[in-house]
Amino acid sequence: NFRLSIQAGPVMDNNIQAVVVPNSKIIISNQEGKEVLNIDVNNILNQNNIDVSTLIPGTYILNVLTKNSKSIYKSFIISR
C-alpha cells in the first residue's frame, strides 16, 4: 500500500510538494491527456518537490506508476 500526497489548492509557484515512492515514475499530463512531464523518482528522492516551472497555467493529472505496475492519479491546478 502507498498513498500519494500532494499539496492542496492551486500551485502558485514552480513546485508541487509531494511525497514520492522509490522506484516509481511520475507522469504529468494536461487536460487533453498529452504527457507533458515524465520524471524518474529516483532522481528526486531527496527532495519533496516536483519542478513544474515549464508548465503553463491549467489543470493537470499527476500519475504515479509503481514498480508493481500500480497507478495513482491526482489532479492539480497551476495558477500563477
Side-chain angles (χ1 to χ4, degrees), residues 46-79:
N46 295 327
Q47 305 171 18
N48 287 328
N49 294 314
I50 299 169
D51 181 7
V52 292
S53 61
T54 60
L55 303 180
I56 62 172
T59 302
Y60 294 88
I61 303 294
L62 187 145
N63 177 14
V64 177
L65 298 169
T66 70
K67 65 180 181 179
N68 302 350
S69 299
K70 293 185 180 181
S71 290
I72 291 187
Y73 297 89
K74 294 281 183 172
S75 63
F76 65 96
I77 298 170
I78 294 180
S79 174

Side-chain angles (χ1 to χ4, degrees), residues 9-56:
V11 177
M12 302 298 281
D13 59 13
N14 292 326
N15 294 295
I16 297 174
Q17 295 177 346
V19 177
V20 294
V21 177
N23 300 315
S24 60
K25 182 186 284 190
I26 294 174
I27 298 170
I28 297 178
S29 303
N30 63 18
Q31 283 183 306
E32 290 80 36
K34 180 181 176 187
E35 183 179 304
V36 293
L37 279 178
N38 189 319
I39 302 163
D40 180 352
V41 171
N42 292 326
N43 295 332
I44 62 167
L45 274 181
N46 295 327
Q47 305 171 18
N48 287 328
N49 294 314
I50 299 169
D51 181 7
V52 292
S53 61
T54 60
L55 303 180
I56 62 172

